[in-house]
Amino acid sequence: MEDFSRRRMLFASGALGAFGVLGAASSARARSLWTWSPNGSVAGRGAGLDPEWVWDEEADPVLAAVIERGDVPKANEALRKWTRNDQPLPSGLPADLRDFMERARQLPSWADRGRLETAAEFNKSRGLYLNLLNGVGGGMLSTAIPREARSVYYSKGGADMEDRVAKTSMLGFAVGDPNAYRPDGDVVVQAVKTRLVHAAVRHLLPQSPDWSRTSGGQTVPISQQDMLVTWHTLPTYAMRTMRAWKVPVTSAESAAYLHVWQVTAHMLGIRDEYIPATWDAAEAQSAQVLDPVLAPTAEGVELTDILLRQLAEQTSPGGIDRPLVNALARHLVGDRVADWDGIPRDPFWEKAVATAWPKLVAFREKLIPLPFVPPLAWTIDEAARKYILFYLTKGQGTHIEIPETNRPA
């Protein structure tokens, strides 16, 4: 990590020091005490195993074999041809990988087409909020999750964050697309491909000395608990924030939005006994698995800086709008997470966003008339739209592919 700037490195050291031993101990306790009941899951029952010690018993051995045989290039070439939910798997896949994917692409028996359609309409009507929350909000939360930040940083994708952002955005925006789970959508495709990547990373990262040195004793990455932690940075965080913004959401829309992410969790390989059945169950699980593990890392600070720099450069060539981007990110995740992510402060823009954003939301929801929206709000609105466009277009021409190496030294 020689390329860390002195300022960011000092910040990371200070933030880590401020978090201290108490925070580390709290994180360790949170990961070792699983009390969430499977009775609150979509399965309604389960063994109650701690997801910290559960991975993906179906995908992991298959991808390990594909990598060890040297079949990754062959598999990726075939996977590029698979782009729609209703499309047969392409020829050229290794037999064991094809057999697994045929099983993995099937929707769970409890998937409800009616609720998936309601979710599609909700995603369309609330797209600006959801894309902003799942993009910048979820992104800033993920870089404050030590395990996720380090898994990203030391895996192959960490060496090219523009490409990593593009591939990550493909799944997020596939979920939000109106055609998401329709035959001509691609959520099934992107979710199964992401599941393959996770399994490959589980095989590869333990071979990385840098990851092993910083993994905090974890010997295999991306456990079921890690996946749940990430899941809560998306639907749970988004719904909670929209409610805080007073965005009108009907009970049918709320249930449908949860459902589309429940199905997506299943397609990513999360066991049904861990997928929350209700928002109350989701909030209870999030409080146990996500809240206690948020913390600063040097890798997270670096990744945050890369992500926000990309956005600022997209919003304004040369990155001159970086203070506005920083303020918007801080507003979305709050000062604690923003400080851990190393997001610089700017009093002017922070006050402007805090004042203008609620009025923008109220105006969109027809709760206040146009004259009550301050002129500066439209600058913030435009920045948000450019950010979303940046992520929407980033995945064009990109394919989620199985890695065969870790981050180059």
Side-chain angles (χ1 to χ4, degrees):
M1 294 187 293
E2 287 81 10
D3 60 335
F4 277 0
S5 73
R6 178 175 174 79
R7 179 191 65 77
R8 290 200 297 274
M9 204 57 168
L10 286 172
F11 176 90
S13 300
L16 287 163
F19 188 61
V21 176
L22 179 61
S26 172
S27 244
R29 285 196 300 272
R31 289 201 180 280
S32 62
L33 298 176
W34 173 253
T35 60
W36 193 83
S37 171
N39 295 338
S41 71
V42 295
R45 63 187 185 280
L49 297 175
D50 187 340
E52 170 73 352
W53 307 106
V54 182
W55 288 269
D56 191 334
E57 61 188 16
E58 285 190 88
D60 292 352
V62 174
L63 270 295
V66 169
I67 292 170
E68 292 302 313
R69 290 197 307 262
D71 278 347
V72 171
K74 173 184 176 181
N76 281 334
E77 182 179 0
L79 286 172
R80 291 188 195 104
K81 303 170 188 175
W82 188 41
T83 59
R84 286 173 48 129
N85 294 334
D86 62 351
Q87 186 180 351
L89 292 178
S91 61
L93 289 169
D96 53 352
L97 183 60
R98 167 183 282 275
D99 290 344
F100 164 73
M101 289 175 63
E102 284 290 5
R103 297 191 301 274
R105 69 182 298 187
Q106 305 304 314
L107 296 187
S109 60
W110 44 265
D112 185 314
R113 283 289 177 185
R115 281 190 285 173
L116 291 176
E117 285 299 316
T118 300
E121 291 304 311
F122 177 67
N123 279 319
K124 184 163 61 175
S125 66
R126 296 291 186 266
L128 187 138
Y129 307 136
L130 294 171
N131 289 333
L132 189 63
L133 290 168
N134 289 333
V136 64
M140 296 303 97
L141 285 173
S142 69
T143 54
I145 299 169
R147 284 187 178 177
E148 183 164 351
R150 287 167 175 151
S151 292
V152 169
Y153 190 86
Y154 293 112
S155 62
K156 183 179 180 180
D160 185 350
M161 281 304 294
E162 284 209 31
D163 184 64
R164 178 64 164 75
V165 167
K167 290 174 179 175
T168 301
S169 69
M170 291 178 72
L171 175 63
F173 286 112
V175 176
D177 190 274
N179 293 335
Y181 279 97
R182 294 170 185 163
D184 58 340
D186 67 344
V187 170
V188 172
V189 173
Q190 308 305 348
V192 171
K193 287 182 179 181
T194 300
R195 187 175 177 183
L196 301 182
V197 172
H198 287 168
V201 170
R202 289 189 197 99
H203 180 69
L204 292 167
L205 262 190
Q207 303 171 37
S208 164
D210 289 323
W211 178 81
S212 298
R213 175 176 52 80
T214 61
S215 67
Q218 188 181 37
T219 56
V220 180
I222 320 180
S223 68
Q224 291 274 301
Q225 179 153 319
D226 293 328
M227 295 179 70
L228 290 170
V229 168
T230 301
W231 188 85
H232 285 294
T233 67
L234 296 164
T236 309
Y237 158 74
M239 182 56 68
R240 182 192 305 148
T241 305
M242 283 194 297
R243 286 171 173 162
W245 288 349
K246 297 181 172 55
V247 176
V249 179
T250 68
S251 58
E253 289 171 333
S254 175
Y257 183 65
L258 175 60
H259 189 65
V260 76
W261 279 101
Q262 289 168 332
V263 175
T264 303
H266 175 95
M267 302 306 293
L268 288 168
I270 297 178
R271 291 189 181 186
D272 288 357
E273 69 177 274
Y274 298 134
I275 303 172
T278 66
W279 284 118
D280 286 344
E283 288 288 359
Q285 189 185 84
S286 178
Q288 181 175 357
V289 301
L290 172 60
D291 298 356
V293 303
L294 293 169
T297 62
E299 295 86 354
V301 171
E302 177 71 2
L303 293 175
T304 298
D305 184 70
I306 292 170
L307 291 171
L308 293 181
R309 185 172 68 244
Q310 287 180 4
L311 172 57
E313 289 172 351
Q314 190 72 18
T315 304
S316 176
I320 60 175
D321 285 339
R322 177 65 185 268
L324 170 54
V325 169
N326 292 340
L328 184 58
R330 293 189 72 94
H331 183 72
L332 291 174
V333 298
D335 287 339
R336 184 182 69 156
V337 170
D339 287 344
W340 285 344
D341 277 340
I343 303 174
R345 303 207 65 144
D346 186 290
F348 170 79
W349 278 113
E350 286 176 41
K351 183 177 180 180
V353 172
T355 301
W357 185 254
K359 293 188 182 299
L360 276 171
V361 173
F363 173 70
R364 286 198 188 92
E365 302 306 322
K366 299 179 173 56
L367 301 176
I368 63 171
L370 181 60
F372 286 93
V373 182
L376 191 59
W378 303 112
T379 301
I380 298 167
D381 183 71
E382 181 64 13
R385 291 180 183 279
K386 285 184 177 179
Y387 182 93
I388 292 167
L389 181 63
F390 169 66
Y391 275 94
L392 280 171
T393 59
K394 209 60 179 152
Q396 293 181 0
T398 301
H399 303 276
I400 296 176
E401 295 188 324
I402 302 168
E404 53 186 327
T405 63
N406 290 314
R407 181 187 180 116

